[in-house]
Amino acid sequence: MAVDEFGLIARYFSGRGASRPDVQLGIGDDCALLQPHAGSLLAVTTDTLIAGVHFPHDDPPHAIGHKAVAVNLSDLAAMGADPAWISLAISLPSPQPDWLQRFAQGVDEICRYHDVALVGGDTTRGPLAITITAHGWVPEGKALKRSGARPGDGIYVSGTLGEAAAGLALVQQRLELAKAEREPLLQRLRYPTPRVSLGRELRGMASAAIDISDGLLADLGHILRASAVDADIHLELLPAVALADQQQALDWALAGGDDYELCFTVPAELRGRLETVVARLGLPVAYIGDVTHKGLGRLSLRHHGERVEHQLRPYNHFPES
Ligand code: ADP
Ligand code: MG
């Protein structure tokens, strides 16, 4: 990049995030040098956010920085991993100091909160897009995979579902609400909270876990297929966004996407332990249904026991038709 790429990196990205003893060498050389943790497996994940696809071009840069990190930490949380390091590749149409300063601030704050170091990256000119790779550690044998759900397990979700989808509808003027009601929904869209502490606590307790990025139906579907089981969900138990239009709220809770809550399964005999952990974390966790039997990954929706049909399609970047 002509406008001194190296000055820009030094100014906006060096020294961001937490400083950690396992970073021998961070930003500034050809590679970062990182210390492995004995007895743990390295969990690695990458997510890209593209302006105009994943966020509007005029979103606050601080929020873009936060969200780019948050969606990656959410994947680590869903594996039960402790976040450690990220690298950040950014492509920018033109380097604007004010924008970069706020973006880097957003990255810095969430990284420090979760004790994550920014150890490297890449800076190029192009349409606005951010790709982050996050690394975390999970004790060997303790990772929360999608494939471990068994008949008899309860199904749980953290937080509230559909709030980010309602926030997006506000931004796109498909939903109108008073200012006091708008703000928390916009906040959930722009500042998702990766459930890192919950993920850590679920190690050795949850039989399967996933983070909800494409909507509950799609993401729980991944657990069910990976585990080769069928399940029932009770719609009256869903912690759906509070809206006057309850059908809309339910649709967004099931298929809205961008929630970044955790969906997980817990064997019945560990339910008491889950309740203890949840009370300590202070994060709401709702029981929403059960894994019923071995199968092909079929999900049945029930409302007070009655079967209901659903035709909701999750967002897909490469739809078949
Ligand atoms: P190279 O050409 O050897 O790949 P670069 O010139 O791309 O190195 O980057 C110089 C240093 O700055 C490297 O340590 C790289 O990891 C880091 N870096 C570049 N861009 C970013 C960024 N956006 N965020 C964090 N570190 C970055
Ligand atoms: Mg490079």
Side-chain angles (χ1 to χ4, degrees), residues 5-6 9 13 26-30 88 90 118-123:
E5 176 186 337
F6 305 104
I9 294 165
F13 296 115
I27 292 176
D29 212 313
D30 295 310
L88 188 168
I90 183 164
L118 173 61
V119 297
D122 198 24
T123 306

Side-chain angles (χ1 to χ4, degrees), residues 211-228:
D211 68 321
I212 305 176
S213 53
D214 297 330
L216 176 68
L217 290 184
D219 290 314
L220 176 55
H222 292 309
I223 287 187
L224 300 182
R225 282 189 297 278
S227 302

